Amino acid sequence: MTSPPARAHDVLTAVLVAAIVPDPAGRHRRTADFAQYVPHQQRADAVMRRLAPALSVASMGSGLLAVGALARRDPAAAAWRAVSVAAVAGAIALTVRVHVPFNRQLRTWAPQQEVPGWREGRARWERAHHARRGLVVLAGAAALAARR
């Protein structure tokens, strides 16, 4: 029988994976010129800066509660839940370190006035985004492994 915190962790982590991993606009984002890139990223940022923190914190919180509920009864499941929480924490740290500062800058840009160095910033953002997606996949896989 799965505990309520574990069920909540499963659902919240699955929603986080669904929000971060598919990335249907990735190819466009990586190849767009400045005038296309800026409004696209500004719209995406407006949604994700509200959605992702709430999902990430909720996934971590429910995961920590699940670790506590499972620690004595099923240490292996608790360990997998802890891995999931750690992966989400890593994704948050990466987001705060790379994505948030770049997105703050991007909010001030006008599509008509190309900013020097924006391609390098986009490339750094993309590398961090790939790493973040990998961490979120790890979080989902670890939550699944906890269910074994």
Side-chain angles (χ1 to χ4, degrees):
M1 178 177 205
T2 307
S3 69
R7 281 193 298 276
H9 182 242
D10 290 342
V11 170
L12 290 163
T13 303
V15 173
L16 182 63
V17 169
I20 301 289
V21 175
D23 198 18
R27 179 183 303 268
H28 173 331
R29 188 182 58 243
R30 289 185 298 275
T31 59
D33 65 14
F34 187 80
Q36 296 169 326
Y37 176 73
V38 170
H40 173 270
Q41 280 302 98
Q42 288 172 339
R43 284 189 304 273
D45 176 54
V47 172
M48 294 307 288
R49 75 174 177 256
R50 289 170 178 82
L51 177 66
L55 282 174
S56 299
V57 170
S59 173
M60 284 181 54
S62 60
L64 288 171
L65 290 172
V67 168
L70 293 166
R72 287 196 177 151
R73 187 169 34 103
D74 191 347
W80 281 114
R81 297 279 175 195
V83 169
S84 180
V85 169
V88 172
I92 290 170
L94 190 60
T95 299
V96 168
R97 180 151 164 72
V98 178
H99 297 106
V100 169
F102 184 77
N103 289 343
R104 276 192 191 124
Q105 281 183 325
L106 189 128
R107 283 180 221 143
T108 68
W109 295 349
Q112 310 85 325
Q113 297 175 321
E114 189 166 317
V115 174
W118 76 273
R119 282 186 174 84
E120 293 79 10
R122 174 176 66 181
R124 183 170 188 242
W125 190 99
E126 286 294 333
R127 285 189 303 272
H129 183 57
H130 289 300
R132 174 175 56 189
R133 288 170 68 206
L135 286 165
V136 170
V137 167
L138 173 61
L144 275 174
R147 296 176 57 94
R148 51 174 177 86

mmCIF file with all atom_site columns, all heavy atoms in Angstrom, residues 16 19 22 47 60 69 108 120 140:
data_model
loop_
_atom_site.group_PDB
_atom_site.id
_atom_site.type_symbol
_atom_site.label_atom_id
_atom_site.label_alt_id
_atom_site.label_comp_id
_atom_site.label_asym_id
_atom_site.label_entity_id
_atom_site.label_seq_id
_atom_site.pdbx_PDB_ins_code
_atom_site.Cartn_x
_atom_site.Cartn_y
_atom_site.Cartn_z
_atom_site.occupancy
_atom_site.B_iso_or_equiv
_atom_site.pdbx_formal_charge
_atom_site.auth_seq_id
_atom_site.auth_comp_id
_atom_site.auth_asym_id
_atom_site.auth_atom_id
_atom_site.pdbx_PDB_model_num
ATOM 1  N N   . LEU A 1 16  ? 5.527  17.476 -13.052 1.00 0.00 ? 16  LEU A N   1
ATOM 2  C CA  . LEU A 1 16  ? 6.767  18.219 -13.271 1.00 0.00 ? 16  LEU A CA  1
ATOM 3  C C   . LEU A 1 16  ? 7.493  17.680 -14.510 1.00 0.00 ? 16  LEU A C   1
ATOM 4  O O   . LEU A 1 16  ? 7.953  18.455 -15.357 1.00 0.00 ? 16  LEU A O   1
ATOM 5  C CB  . LEU A 1 16  ? 7.665  18.143 -12.033 1.00 0.00 ? 16  LEU A CB  1
ATOM 6  C CG  . LEU A 1 16  ? 8.974  18.904 -12.091 1.00 0.00 ? 16  LEU A CG  1
ATOM 7  C CD1 . LEU A 1 16  ? 8.729  20.407 -12.225 1.00 0.00 ? 16  LEU A CD1 1
ATOM 8  C CD2 . LEU A 1 16  ? 9.805  18.610 -10.845 1.00 0.00 ? 16  LEU A CD2 1
ATOM 9  N N   . ALA A 1 19  ? 5.745  18.816 -17.583 1.00 0.00 ? 19  ALA A N   1
ATOM 10 C CA  . ALA A 1 19  ? 5.892  20.253 -17.842 1.00 0.00 ? 19  ALA A CA  1
ATOM 11 C C   . ALA A 1 19  ? 7.279  20.613 -18.365 1.00 0.00 ? 19  ALA A C   1
ATOM 12 O O   . ALA A 1 19  ? 7.422  21.568 -19.136 1.00 0.00 ? 19  ALA A O   1
ATOM 13 C CB  . ALA A 1 19  ? 5.614  21.044 -16.565 1.00 0.00 ? 19  ALA A CB  1
ATOM 14 N N   . PRO A 1 22  ? 9.118  17.322 -22.251 1.00 0.00 ? 22  PRO A N   1
ATOM 15 C CA  . PRO A 1 22  ? 8.809  17.219 -23.684 1.00 0.00 ? 22  PRO A CA  1
ATOM 16 C C   . PRO A 1 22  ? 9.435  18.307 -24.567 1.00 0.00 ? 22  PRO A C   1
ATOM 17 O O   . PRO A 1 22  ? 9.947  18.014 -25.626 1.00 0.00 ? 22  PRO A O   1
ATOM 18 C CB  . PRO A 1 22  ? 7.279  17.269 -23.732 1.00 0.00 ? 22  PRO A CB  1
ATOM 19 C CG  . PRO A 1 22  ? 6.864  16.745 -22.413 1.00 0.00 ? 22  PRO A CG  1
ATOM 20 C CD  . PRO A 1 22  ? 7.898  17.243 -21.445 1.00 0.00 ? 22  PRO A CD  1
ATOM 21 N N   . VAL A 1 47  ? 4.878  31.875 -18.125 1.00 0.00 ? 47  VAL A N   1
ATOM 22 C CA  . VAL A 1 47  ? 4.159  30.688 -17.644 1.00 0.00 ? 47  VAL A CA  1
ATOM 23 C C   . VAL A 1 47  ? 5.026  29.900 -16.667 1.00 0.00 ? 47  VAL A C   1
ATOM 24 O O   . VAL A 1 47  ? 4.603  29.577 -15.552 1.00 0.00 ? 47  VAL A O   1
ATOM 25 C CB  . VAL A 1 47  ? 3.736  29.789 -18.832 1.00 0.00 ? 47  VAL A CB  1
ATOM 26 C CG1 . VAL A 1 47  ? 3.175  28.470 -18.344 1.00 0.00 ? 47  VAL A CG1 1
ATOM 27 C CG2 . VAL A 1 47  ? 2.742  30.524 -19.711 1.00 0.00 ? 47  VAL A CG2 1
ATOM 28 N N   . MET A 1 60  ? 9.165  18.194 -4.116  1.00 0.00 ? 60  MET A N   1
ATOM 29 C CA  . MET A 1 60  ? 10.173 17.979 -3.064  1.00 0.00 ? 60  MET A CA  1
ATOM 30 C C   . MET A 1 60  ? 9.525  17.773 -1.698  1.00 0.00 ? 60  MET A C   1
ATOM 31 O O   . MET A 1 60  ? 9.909  16.866 -0.956  1.00 0.00 ? 60  MET A O   1
ATOM 32 C CB  . MET A 1 60  ? 11.133 19.168 -2.997  1.00 0.00 ? 60  MET A CB  1
ATOM 33 C CG  . MET A 1 60  ? 12.140 19.185 -4.100  1.00 0.00 ? 60  MET A CG  1
ATOM 34 S SD  . MET A 1 60  ? 13.272 20.588 -3.964  1.00 0.00 ? 60  MET A SD  1
ATOM 35 C CE  . MET A 1 60  ? 13.893 20.424 -2.325  1.00 0.00 ? 60  MET A CE  1
ATOM 36 N N   . ALA A 1 69  ? 7.745  8.810  5.856   1.00 0.00 ? 69  ALA A N   1
ATOM 37 C CA  . ALA A 1 69  ? 6.729  7.765  6.063   1.00 0.00 ? 69  ALA A CA  1
ATOM 38 C C   . ALA A 1 69  ? 7.266  6.379  5.749   1.00 0.00 ? 69  ALA A C   1
ATOM 39 O O   . ALA A 1 69  ? 6.818  5.387  6.336   1.00 0.00 ? 69  ALA A O   1
ATOM 40 C CB  . ALA A 1 69  ? 5.504  8.059  5.192   1.00 0.00 ? 69  ALA A CB  1
ATOM 41 N N   . THR A 1 108 ? 13.615 42.288 -20.260 1.00 0.00 ? 108 THR A N   1
ATOM 42 C CA  . THR A 1 108 ? 13.823 43.710 -20.566 1.00 0.00 ? 108 THR A CA  1
ATOM 43 C C   . THR A 1 108 ? 14.126 43.944 -22.045 1.00 0.00 ? 108 THR A C   1
ATOM 44 O O   . THR A 1 108 ? 14.216 45.096 -22.465 1.00 0.00 ? 108 THR A O   1
ATOM 45 C CB  . THR A 1 108 ? 14.984 44.285 -19.727 1.00 0.00 ? 108 THR A CB  1
ATOM 46 O OG1 . THR A 1 108 ? 16.218 43.689 -20.157 1.00 0.00 ? 108 THR A OG1 1
ATOM 47 C CG2 . THR A 1 108 ? 14.765 44.043 -18.242 1.00 0.00 ? 108 THR A CG2 1
ATOM 48 N N   . GLU A 1 120 ? 25.213 33.627 -27.152 1.00 0.00 ? 120 GLU A N   1
ATOM 49 C CA  . GLU A 1 120 ? 25.988 32.926 -26.126 1.00 0.00 ? 120 GLU A CA  1
ATOM 50 C C   . GLU A 1 120 ? 25.125 32.666 -24.896 1.00 0.00 ? 120 GLU A C   1
ATOM 51 O O   . GLU A 1 120 ? 25.188 31.605 -24.285 1.00 0.00 ? 120 GLU A O   1
ATOM 52 C CB  . GLU A 1 120 ? 27.242 33.728 -25.746 1.00 0.00 ? 120 GLU A CB  1
ATOM 53 C CG  . GLU A 1 120 ? 28.269 33.843 -26.848 1.00 0.00 ? 120 GLU A CG  1
ATOM 54 C CD  . GLU A 1 120 ? 27.924 34.904 -27.919 1.00 0.00 ? 120 GLU A CD  1
ATOM 55 O OE1 . GLU A 1 120 ? 26.983 35.701 -27.726 1.00 0.00 ? 120 GLU A OE1 1
ATOM 56 O OE2 . GLU A 1 120 ? 28.608 34.904 -28.955 1.00 0.00 ? 120 GLU A OE2 1
ATOM 57 N N   . GLY A 1 140 ? 11.796 11.576 -11.916 1.00 0.00 ? 140 GLY A N   1
ATOM 58 C CA  . GLY A 1 140 ? 10.662 10.731 -12.268 1.00 0.00 ? 140 GLY A CA  1
ATOM 59 C C   . GLY A 1 140 ? 10.995 9.258  -12.216 1.00 0.00 ? 140 GLY A C   1
ATOM 60 O O   . GLY A 1 140 ? 10.210 8.446  -11.700 1.00 0.00 ? 140 GLY A O   1
#
